[in-house]
Amino acid sequence: MKKLMLTTTLALSLMLLCCAPALAADPVKTLSGDITLAQAQKILAAALKKAEAIKVPMNIAIVDAGGNLKAFYRQEDAFIGSIDISIKKAVTARYFNMSTRTLGSVSQVGQPLYGIEASNDGLILFAGGVLLVDANNVIIGAIGVSGGSVDEDESVAMAGAAAIK
Amino acid sequence: MKKLMLTTTLALSLMLLCCAPALAADPVKTLSGDITLAQAQKILAAALKKAEAIKVPMNIAIVDAGGNLKAFYRQEDAFIGSIDISIKKAVTARYFNMSTRTLGSVSQVGQPLYGIEASNDGLILFAGGVLLVDANNVIIGAIGVSGGSVDEDESVAMAGAAAIK
Amino acid sequence: MKKLMLTTTLALSLMLLCCAPALAADPVKTLSGDITLAQAQKILAAALKKAEAIKVPMNIAIVDAGGNLKAFYRQEDAFIGSIDISIKKAVTARYFNMSTRTLGSVSQVGQPLYGIEASNDGLILFAGGVLLVDANNVIIGAIGVSGGSVDEDESVAMAGAAAIK
Amino acid sequence: MKKLMLTTTLALSLMLLCCAPALAADPVKTLSGDITLAQAQKILAAALKKAEAIKVPMNIAIVDAGGNLKAFYRQEDAFIGSIDISIKKAVTARYFNMSTRTLGSVSQVGQPLYGIEASNDGLILFAGGVLLVDANNVIIGAIGVSGGSVDEDESVAMAGAAAIK
């Protein structure tokens, strides 16, 4: 890829030399409006603050609009096993555009979606995964929190989500 | 694979040269009567029409008689998590030659097939997977739909399946 | 989810009744500019046309900007084993924002990225995966084609990608 | 887990009641000296600064002494496929207590460890994974960076690692 990068640099230099407006520019790589790292950091900070307030060490994961990991923090003493759960909670919320609490309520024994957790390499169906909706009312990703009771997890996720409203 | 193609081209050239009717022909690669892409497109069109009529964005997957993916569409705003579910619904229906609703009813807690979803890398046991039976009464594959309630999913799957009756 | 849908319908009816502009609207679920099903169908049609012209049956997969499957077609007699390869080619191209041919060239034995295919649950490093760049010069997904020689695969992918330029 | 928390709360209440200094305290959950979130944030900040200086968008992953994810950032436009690679680079470095560059050099075709990447659900054998050694000369984890050429990746990883020396 180094060679590739050098080629790109060379192409860029040539472009700057000629300033030809007709020259094909590098394509845009990220859809406009997707979550930024700055937004993710703001969400993480708000979630951490809540976790500290309730004194429960947490794993906090953020995915973008495509469901791909954007940022993650694990606090001291937070369960190692909750790394995967927090990420899966965020993915689950975005994959079905609802909180994991809501999805869970229709996936219990005897409910219509019972067994849905066998799909998508494993979903998490208890509270703690919440959508990230920006000030323009666009879903730009999701946050998943794991480390305490499901109510504690969800309260931390909601504190994070509120930071970009 | 290039070499393979060249060999095929060579064999074809020789065939054209000799025109010998006794020459061993390339073996037939697909079972007679298996679903065609044209049929799959017709099914997809009918399913899309129904999804638009009920205003629920859907994932629609079609597998052939061997249970292998033949065609797939995801509408705007359809759940990302339903890509996998729609495909698994189609696979599940064909793997057991019944609708996922029927299989689900005998796989609930306390029922004979309880736990079957752990097999085959994950089955889906709620409605939305339906067999594709052609005009000759032959099962040529299955359709799986996911995006709304399980009843909505199944209604779209049945609209698709009706297109080749 | 049926209950959920009914609740949503109820909420919607109430909204229409009051017409209160301050009422929270449903959040936007898809980032503006991501590939549409209509675009994917146009790309599939162009790719099919090319595959028919060169008489090689193909698997054709399209993923969106987030790398998630959007549409898929398998022609009669196309390799079953190429279902997975075509999807992985599309995913690989989008995951690294370059064609699988380019990524493959820097991942050969002795090259800097040798072994990269062990990541991401398996990448494909030979030609046939191509980026989908729209008329606004935005990457909106990728197309992966598998069924013939890698050059044939890539020519079909490029024919598809050209349909939305 | 809720029940678990309640039990903990109960135990805590009892402790407060008796104030007995001999009472068995909650066991310590994290090894003394393991990487803290504060250290991880410092490392991420230093790595980001370097990535911005060389103008290459990166995925940056940090694992603790146990090889488990501690923190992660993905910058805008950084490859989606590099999420997994950056994490695997960090894991690989800690699993073998050497940089991925060093491990890679002894794992090439014809070298002693050829094929090692098939272990551990996939290792990464090119530069960009670096050990995190603290001021007391203790390995407290590793950092993995992916997004540019392997030399660029490694320079960002080293900038991150230098922040806690």
Side-chain angles (χ1 to χ4, degrees):
Chain A
M1 203 167 323
K2 179 117 196 222
K3 199 197 275 177
L4 190 81
M5 292 294 147
L6 290 174
T7 314
T8 308
T9 309
L10 187 64
L12 199 65
S13 312
L14 290 174
M15 273 177 66
L16 293 175
L17 273 177
C18 5
C19 305
L23 254 184
D26 234 27
V28 175
K29 297 184 179 73
T30 310
L31 290 184
S32 168
D34 205 349
I35 192 170
T36 63
L37 182 53
Q39 284 175 308
Q41 286 171 314
K42 208 168 156 187
I43 295 161
L44 284 172
L48 275 186
K49 198 175 160 187
K50 177 71 177 179
E52 279 155 15
I54 64 172
K55 295 189 201 312
V56 183
M58 294 290 190
N59 287 265
I60 309 165
I62 293 173
V63 298
D64 66 12
N68 300 305
L69 192 64
K70 183 72 183 176
F72 174 84
Y73 277 172
R74 176 159 50 98
Q75 293 184 280
E76 275 69 73
D77 290 350
F79 298 134
I80 298 173
S82 286
I83 299 170
D84 186 53
I85 294 177
S86 64
I87 296 174
K88 281 195 165 67
K89 279 184 180 177
V91 168
T92 300
R94 174 50 178 160
Y95 271 24
F96 296 94
N97 284 335
M98 64 185 80
S99 72
T100 54
R101 178 185 291 275
T102 302
L103 187 65
S105 69
V106 290
S107 310
Q108 297 301 307
V109 175
Q111 292 299 307
L113 301 186
Y114 175 59
I116 194 176
E117 70 275 14
S119 72
N120 292 287
D121 293 323
L123 299 171
I124 296 294
L125 297 177
F126 41 85
V130 168
L131 287 174
L132 295 172
V133 183
D134 71 8
N136 300 317
N137 205 32
V138 176
I139 300 174
I140 60 170
I143 178 172
V145 176
S146 183
S149 71
V150 297
D151 291 335
E152 288 166 341
D153 293 351
E154 193 179 45
S155 73
V156 170
M158 290 174 98
I164 55 157
K165 284 278 182 182
Chain B
M1 201 164 329
K2 181 127 195 212
K3 201 196 275 179
L4 191 82
M5 291 295 140
L6 290 175
T7 314
T8 308
T9 311
L10 187 64
L12 196 67
S13 313
L14 289 174
M15 274 178 66
L16 293 175
L17 273 177
C18 3
C19 305
L23 250 186
D26 233 27
V28 175
K29 298 186 178 72
T30 309
L31 288 184
S32 167
D34 203 350
I35 192 169
T36 62
L37 182 54
Q39 284 175 307
Q41 287 170 312
K42 208 169 157 188
I43 295 163
L44 284 172
L48 275 186
K49 199 176 160 187
K50 178 70 176 179
E52 280 155 14
I54 64 172
K55 295 188 201 312
V56 183
M58 293 291 188
N59 287 265
I60 308 164
I62 293 172
V63 298
D64 64 13
N68 301 303
L69 192 63
K70 182 73 182 176
F72 174 83
Y73 277 171
R74 175 159 51 100
Q75 292 184 279
E76 275 67 74
D77 290 351
F79 298 137
I80 298 172
S82 285
I83 299 169
D84 186 53
I85 293 177
S86 65
I87 297 173
K88 281 193 165 68
K89 279 183 181 177
V91 168
T92 299
R94 175 51 178 162
Y95 273 22
F96 297 94
N97 283 335
M98 64 185 81
S99 71
T100 53
R101 178 185 291 275
T102 302
L103 188 65
S105 69
V106 291
S107 310
Q108 297 299 309
V109 175
Q111 292 299 307
L113 301 186
Y114 174 60
I116 194 175
E117 71 275 14
S119 72
N120 294 285
D121 291 324
L123 299 171
I124 296 292
L125 297 178
F126 40 86
V130 168
L131 288 174
L132 294 171
V133 183
D134 72 8
N136 300 316
N137 205 31
V138 177
I139 300 175
I140 61 170
I143 178 172
V145 177
S146 182
S149 71
V150 296
D151 292 335
E152 289 166 341
D153 293 351
E154 194 179 45
S155 74
V156 171
M158 291 174 98
I164 55 157
K165 284 277 182 184
Chain C
M1 204 169 319
K2 177 118 197 220
K3 200 196 276 176
L4 191 81
M5 291 293 147
L6 290 174
T7 314
T8 308
T9 311
L10 187 64
L12 198 64
S13 313
L14 290 175
M15 273 177 66
L16 293 175
L17 274 176
C18 3
C19 305
L23 255 183
D26 235 27
V28 175
K29 297 185 179 71
T30 309
L31 290 184
S32 169
D34 206 348
I35 191 169
T36 63
L37 182 54
Q39 284 175 308
Q41 287 171 314
K42 209 169 156 188
I43 295 163
L44 284 172
L48 276 185
K49 198 175 160 188
K50 178 71 178 179
E52 280 154 14
I54 64 172
K55 295 188 202 312
V56 182
M58 294 291 189
N59 288 265
I60 308 165
I62 293 173
V63 299
D64 66 12
N68 300 304
L69 193 64
K70 182 75 184 175
F72 174 83
Y73 277 172
R74 177 160 49 99
Q75 293 183 280
E76 276 67 73
D77 290 351
F79 299 134
I80 298 172
S82 285
I83 299 170
D84 186 52
I85 294 177
S86 64
I87 296 174
K88 280 196 167 69
K89 278 184 180 177
V91 168
T92 300
R94 175 50 178 160
Y95 272 23
F96 297 93
N97 283 335
M98 64 185 81
S99 72
T100 54
R101 178 185 291 275
T102 301
L103 187 65
S105 69
V106 288
S107 309
Q108 299 299 310
V109 176
Q111 292 298 307
L113 300 186
Y114 175 60
I116 194 174
E117 70 276 13
S119 72
N120 293 286
D121 292 323
L123 300 170
I124 297 293
L125 298 177
F126 41 84
V130 167
L131 287 174
L132 294 172
V133 183
D134 72 8
N136 301 317
N137 205 32
V138 176
I139 301 175
I140 59 170
I143 179 172
V145 177
S146 182
S149 71
V150 296
D151 291 336
E152 288 165 341
D153 293 351
E154 193 179 45
S155 73
V156 170
M158 289 174 100
I164 54 156
K165 284 278 182 185
Chain D
M1 205 166 320
K2 179 130 195 209
K3 201 196 274 178
L4 191 80
M5 290 296 140
L6 290 173
T7 314
T8 309
T9 310
L10 188 63
L12 197 65
S13 313
L14 290 174
M15 274 177 67
L16 293 174
L17 273 177
C18 2
C19 305
L23 253 186
D26 234 27
V28 176
K29 298 187 179 71
T30 309
L31 289 183
S32 168
D34 203 349
I35 191 169
T36 62
L37 181 54
Q39 284 175 307
Q41 287 171 312
K42 209 170 155 186
I43 294 163
L44 283 171
L48 275 185
K49 199 176 159 187
K50 177 71 177 178
E52 280 155 15
I54 64 171
K55 295 187 201 313
V56 183
M58 293 292 187
N59 287 265
I60 308 166
I62 294 173
V63 298
D64 65 12
N68 301 303
L69 192 63
K70 182 72 184 178
F72 174 83
Y73 278 173
R74 176 160 49 101
Q75 293 183 279
E76 276 68 74
D77 290 351
F79 298 137
I80 298 172
S82 285
I83 299 169
D84 186 52
I85 294 177
S86 64
I87 296 174
K88 282 195 165 69
K89 279 183 180 176
V91 168
T92 300
R94 174 52 179 159
Y95 274 22
F96 297 94
N97 283 335
M98 62 184 82
S99 72
T100 53
R101 178 185 291 277
T102 302
L103 188 65
S105 69
V106 289
S107 309
Q108 297 299 309
V109 176
Q111 293 298 307
L113 300 186
Y114 174 60
I116 194 174
E117 70 275 13
S119 71
N120 294 285
D121 291 324
L123 299 171
I124 296 292
L125 298 178
F126 41 85
V130 168
L131 288 174
L132 294 171
V133 183
D134 72 7
N136 300 316
N137 205 32
V138 177
I139 300 174
I140 61 171
I143 179 172
V145 177
S146 182
S149 71
V150 296
D151 291 335
E152 288 165 343
D153 294 350
E154 193 178 46
S155 74
V156 170
M158 290 173 99
I164 54 156
K165 284 278 182 185

